[in-house]
């Protein structure tokens, strides 16, 4: 029975190994240079840690076998409690590994900073001097992704296309809750947060269609908050742009306010044109032109604020979906209210979204 069990266990192990051998470990075999360098960092860190882990596991089994109760030939030293040589190995090797990991992490943190413009498109291939990064503005909505191409004047929902070997600069924000922009083949995860902008500089080095998604739970439709990332040749990218420009839809501010409403399983959509300054309006929470922009509010604060009397207009935050009500009452955001005497200068009063 014992022999049959061992044979069965060996067969299961072989089948599992064969199945895993066909897997494409995308994180360790990506198509983008930044993701590839991050994958190399994972491999190096793992190998360094295995220098300790493998001997510890092996010695655990060796000691359990060598000093088992039935082995009368094993050396018995009940009073032994110290070995300088052993202490040096136990403390010295992990210390050296920690120093090596710390140095690698410090260097990689700066080299792979998502805000740092790319200095190469692949190993041994620096970015050509005449190449300008492609800017894509990313907005995480509930529960879909909006991508705006300011240079091209177009926008898409749940689809990105970029030329192969051209640096891309992503400007990332969110409409209501925090999400994570993640294309495993391209680079690591970058958070998008309402009222804040984060950045990612990356490049894709091989044509193909790759998966992108949110890696931060954001509500009921999170599981379907996915998009396709297309790496295209220059000619195919231009053809893709022509297809987007052929769309009959335009992304105005009013269209964005409709798109912003929560929805699940949103299909790919193309917009042939986009209102100027839409991304900055999303970032400053003032797509609705009747709302004051965050940067305008900060300008008021920089001039000294509205004083103690201005606190009366603040509303108590509500629980649940922020869409149920503003955190600042209408008295503060109204564009028509005259300023109270002595509270704000005429240049500040009546400010509204551009």
């Amino acid at each position: 029975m014992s022999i049959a069990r061992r044979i069965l266990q060996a067969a299961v192990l072989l089948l599992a190994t064969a199945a895993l051998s066909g897997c494409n470990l995308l994180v360790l075999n990506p198509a983008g240079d930044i993701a590839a360098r991050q994958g190399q960092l994972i491999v190096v860190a793992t190998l360094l840690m295995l220098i300790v882990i493998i001997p510890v596991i092996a010695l655990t089994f060796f000691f359990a076998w060598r000093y088992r109760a039935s082995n009368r030939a094993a050396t018995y030293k009940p009073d032994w409690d110290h070995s300088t040589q052993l202490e040096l190995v136990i403390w010295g090797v992990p210390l050296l590994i920690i120093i090596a990991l710390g140095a690698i992490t410090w260097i990689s943190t700066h080299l792979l900073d998502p805000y740092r413009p790319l200095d190469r498109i692949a190993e041994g291939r620096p970015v050509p001097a005449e190449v300008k990064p492609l800017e894509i503005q990313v907005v995480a909505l509930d529960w879909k992704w909006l991508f705006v191409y300011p240079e091209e004047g177009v926008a898409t929902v749940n689809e990105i296309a970029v030329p192969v070997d051209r640096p891309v600069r992503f400007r990332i924000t969110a409409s209501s809750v925090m999400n994570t922009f993640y294309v495993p083949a391209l680079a690591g995860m970058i958070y998008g947060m309402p009222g804040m902008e984060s950045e990612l500089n990356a490049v894709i080095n091989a044509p193909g269609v790759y998966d992108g998604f949110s890696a931060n739970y954001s509500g009921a439709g999170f599981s379907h908050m996915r998009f396709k990332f297309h790496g295209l040749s220059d000619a195919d990218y231009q053809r893709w742009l022509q297809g987007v420009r052929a769309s009959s839809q335009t992304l105005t501010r009013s269209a964005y306010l409709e798109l912003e409403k929560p929805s699940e399983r949103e299909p790919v959509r193309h917009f042939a044109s986009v209102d100027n300054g839409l991304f900055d309006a999303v970032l400053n929470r003032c797509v609705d032109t009747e709302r004051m922009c965050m940067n305008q509010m900060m300008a008021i604060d920089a001039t000294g604020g509205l004083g103690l009397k201005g606190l009366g207009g603040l509303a108590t935050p509500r629980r649940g979906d922020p869409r149920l009500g503003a955190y600042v009452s209408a008295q503060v955001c109204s564009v028509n209210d005259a300023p109270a005497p002595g509270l704000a200068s005429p240049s500040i009063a009546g400010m509204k979204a551009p």
Side-chain angles (χ1 to χ4, degrees):
M1 188 66 180
S2 177
I3 295 176
R5 182 179 299 174
R6 291 179 181 176
I7 293 175
L8 180 61
Q9 291 175 345
V12 171
L13 181 60
L14 288 174
L15 288 173
T17 303
L20 291 174
S21 65
C23 293
N24 180 16
L25 300 178
L26 185 60
V27 173
L28 300 180
N29 186 32
D33 182 64
I34 295 297
R37 293 159 76 178
Q38 292 172 337
Q40 293 170 2
L41 180 61
I42 294 174
V43 172
V44 170
T46 301
L47 292 176
L48 283 173
M49 291 183 286
L50 287 177
I51 293 175
V52 169
I53 294 174
I54 291 178
V56 167
I57 293 175
L59 288 173
T60 298
F61 287 104
F62 172 76
F63 288 146
W65 173 258
R66 180 77 175 86
Y67 298 103
R68 66 191 186 278
S70 60
N71 185 13
R72 301 297 180 181
T75 303
Y76 179 65
K77 293 183 177 180
D79 298 325
W80 180 89
D81 61 2
H82 180 72
S83 170
T84 301
Q85 294 82 0
L86 188 59
E87 291 286 344
L88 288 174
V89 173
I90 291 174
W91 293 103
V93 173
L95 180 61
L96 292 175
I97 292 174
I98 291 172
I99 293 173
L101 283 173
I104 293 172
T105 302
W106 188 87
I107 294 171
S108 300
T109 298
H110 290 80
L111 289 178
L112 301 178
D113 181 0
Y115 284 79
R116 178 178 178 174
L118 300 185
D119 55 3
R120 75 180 207 185
I121 56 177
E123 187 173 1
R125 299 172 59 193
V127 177
E130 70 279 4
V131 173
K132 179 183 178 182
L134 173 66
E135 180 177 317
I136 299 179
Q137 299 165 346
V138 182
V139 182
L141 304 171
D142 295 330
W143 288 275
K144 49 198 169 283
W145 293 92
L146 172 65
F147 305 104
V148 178
Y149 290 70
E151 297 176 13
E152 312 293 351
V154 300
T156 62
V157 172
N158 289 342
E159 183 181 62
I160 302 181
V162 301
V164 171
D165 290 340
R166 180 178 176 182
V168 184
R169 175 178 176 247
F170 295 96
R171 297 175 60 193
I172 306 168
T173 190
S175 64
S176 62
V177 297
M178 183 168 62
N179 274 285
T180 306
F181 176 77
Y182 186 33
V183 182
L186 181 72
M189 296 179 287
I190 301 296
Y191 279 92
M193 294 160 280
M196 300 180 67
E197 179 184 342
S198 51
E199 186 175 324
L200 171 64
N201 287 274
V203 63
I204 199 75
N205 300 120
V209 181
Y210 308 98
D211 291 322
F213 52 89
S214 174
N216 187 80
Y217 182 73
S218 58
F222 162 77
S223 298
H224 307 293
M225 193 173 173
R226 296 175 173 268
F227 61 91
K228 291 298 181 180
F229 183 96
H230 300 264
L232 305 174
S233 65
D234 290 339
D236 289 339
Y237 175 67
Q238 292 302 322
R239 280 192 289 270
W240 178 83
L241 282 176
Q242 291 176 5
V244 176
R245 293 192 179 106
S247 171
S248 60
Q249 299 187 67
T250 59
L251 188 59
T252 61
R253 291 196 178 208
S254 58
Y256 172 85
L257 292 175
E258 287 298 317
L259 180 66
E260 187 184 35
K261 296 177 180 178
S263 62
E264 299 183 32
R265 299 178 182 270
E266 189 75 20
V268 172
R269 296 169 61 182
H270 293 163
F271 298 92
S273 63
V274 183
D275 275 7
N276 291 332
L278 180 62
F279 179 79
D280 289 332
V282 173
L283 178 62
N284 285 288
R285 317 287 289 162
C286 58
V287 177
D288 183 352
T289 56
E290 295 303 312
R291 290 181 178 271
M292 183 183 292
C293 295
M294 279 196 340
N295 54 1
Q296 293 174 330
M297 292 183 184
M298 289 186 282
I300 293 174
D301 290 340
T303 62
L306 297 178
L308 293 177
K309 293 183 180 180
L311 299 177
L314 297 181
T316 303
R318 301 181 181 183
R319 293 185 178 182
D321 192 341
R323 300 174 191 278
L324 297 178
Y327 290 98
V328 181
S329 69
Q331 294 93 305
V332 175
C333 291
S334 173
V335 299
N336 297 319
D337 289 348
L343 291 183
S345 66
S347 62
I348 294 177
M351 292 181 69
K352 62 179 180 179

